[in-house]
Amino acid sequence: MTLDDVADELYGLDPGEFVEARTHHVKAAREGNDRTLAAEIGKLRKPTTVGWLVNLISRDLPEDLDALLALGESLRDAQRHLSGPDLRRLTTQRQQVVRSLAHKSGEIAASRGKSVGEDLLRDVAQTLNAALADEETAAQVRLGRVVTAASYSGFGPAGLAVVAEDSAQDPPAIHTEEHAPATSTTPDRKAEQAKAKAELKEARAGVEKIRRRAKAESAQFEDARSKLSDLDRRIEELRADLEHAEQERQFAKNAEKAARVAVRESEEELREAEWRVDEAEEALDEME
């Protein structure tokens, strides 16, 4: 049993099954006197719902995912060569493929009895976009070992920022004395500044994420309102067409009724004329 074997198994499970399975493997490694492997397994983090959804794509739709990541390479190449038309075409294609894969992950989750909301699917799409922008993230997505959501602004590692998803992370299942966290009684100002900068960066990334989401939702609202207006206008046109058609139907019905009466009268006149012809022929025969 290797760490890769265990990771492949754990990140293919439902998040609710992760901790129990991880604990089982840690104990098995300890019983096999492999404390190093036990410690490494214990460090594996439980995936959030978004991480799980992305991992479903890696396992259930590997060919679609490979095609998307290959598209990311084409996008980076187009950006390096400043190919505007190619970049626009590939960007449109990227948006379509990412949206499709995100919704497919929701369908896979639904087939497993898990209901997924639009917010989570948007985070899945952002994580896939991050994989297109950063090779390290792409590697985790390809392996199906994504832990949490990722976001990006623009292409390239400089625009990548990991963000927290709705469910909290759990601590490692086994804590060993050799991996106990070190403590310090002396405040480290540089460390505090670094932490503050990291928190600021994360906060800015969160704001940017919400701003992009609000912009996208506003665009969706405007699109929906425009479609509703078009449909209302179309309904009015159809109602007018229906009213006109009903009038024409009434005219046609009246014409049909009048024509039926005329046909009946003509048939009676024809029978009378034929009767007179018969009488005339008989009279002529008697004269001869």
Side-chain angles (χ1 to χ4, degrees):
M1 180 176 62
T2 66
L3 181 62
D4 281 339
D5 293 334
V6 175
D8 283 340
E9 176 187 337
L10 293 181
Y11 287 106
L13 297 174
D14 185 289
E17 302 171 347
F18 185 93
V19 174
E20 182 179 356
R22 182 183 61 189
T23 302
H24 170 76
H25 283 295
V26 169
K27 290 180 179 179
R30 282 179 167 274
E31 291 172 357
N33 295 321
D34 194 340
R35 297 180 66 83
T36 300
L37 178 59
E40 292 300 321
I41 294 173
K43 292 178 183 178
L44 296 176
R45 296 167 60 197
K46 173 185 174 181
T48 62
T49 302
V50 172
W52 176 64
L53 290 170
V54 175
N55 294 337
L56 287 179
I57 295 173
S58 173
R59 285 168 168 76
D60 289 33
L61 303 167
E63 294 182 359
D64 293 347
L65 179 60
D66 286 343
L68 175 64
L69 296 179
L71 180 62
E73 295 176 2
S74 299
L75 274 165
R76 289 192 291 272
D77 183 69
Q79 189 179 45
R80 283 192 296 268
H81 293 86
L82 299 177
S83 176
D86 286 345
L87 190 59
R88 286 190 292 272
R89 175 179 58 80
L90 292 170
T91 298
T92 299
Q93 188 177 352
R94 169 184 62 82
Q95 293 171 343
Q96 294 172 343
V97 176
V98 165
R99 189 180 304 112
S100 174
L101 280 180
H103 280 282
K104 284 182 179 179
S105 72
E107 292 173 358
I108 297 171
S111 70
R112 301 188 181 189
K114 300 290 183 181
S115 178
V116 178
E118 287 297 323
D119 288 346
L120 292 179
L121 295 185
R122 277 193 290 268
D123 285 343
V124 170
Q126 288 186 0
T127 302
L128 293 175
N129 282 325
L132 293 176
D134 180 70
E135 293 181 1
E136 193 172 313
T137 305
Q140 293 302 310
V141 171
R142 185 177 279 109
L143 287 172
R145 299 180 189 176
V146 176
V147 174
T148 188
S151 66
Y152 84 108
S153 55
F155 276 91
L160 184 65
V162 175
V163 297
E165 201 254 337
D166 53 349
S167 60
Q169 300 296 332
D170 65 320
I174 299 296
H175 299 280
T176 60
E177 56 276 6
E178 60 267 29
H179 293 286
T183 59
S184 174
T185 57
T186 304
D188 189 331
R189 184 171 181 80
K190 290 184 178 180
E192 291 178 354
Q193 289 177 340
K195 181 179 178 181
K197 288 180 180 179
E199 291 176 349
L200 176 60
K201 182 179 179 181
E202 184 176 354
R204 285 175 174 170
V207 169
E208 183 61 25
K209 173 186 173 183
I210 295 173
R211 183 179 290 117
R212 289 196 303 272
R213 180 180 298 174
K215 183 177 179 180
E217 290 175 345
S218 295
Q220 290 176 354
F221 168 71
E222 291 298 330
D223 183 58
R225 184 165 62 178
S226 176
K227 287 182 179 178
L228 179 61
S229 178
D230 290 342
L231 289 172
D232 285 340
R233 184 168 53 254
R234 180 59 179 154
I235 288 172
E236 290 301 319
E237 292 174 353
L238 291 173
R239 283 174 176 166
D241 290 344
L242 177 61
E243 183 178 354
H244 180 67
E246 287 178 343
Q247 291 175 351
E248 289 188 342
R249 181 180 182 277
Q250 186 61 43
F251 292 149
K253 186 176 181 180
N254 293 338
E256 185 267 345
K257 182 178 180 181
R260 184 169 62 248
V261 172
V263 167
R264 187 182 302 115
E265 291 176 349
S266 295
E267 289 176 345
E268 291 178 355
E269 290 179 0
L270 177 60
R271 284 195 295 272
E272 291 179 358
E274 290 175 343
W275 179 73
R276 287 196 294 272
V277 168
D278 290 340
E279 284 188 335
E281 289 178 344
E282 290 177 1
L284 181 59
D285 289 340
E286 290 177 357
M287 290 180 184
E288 294 178 353

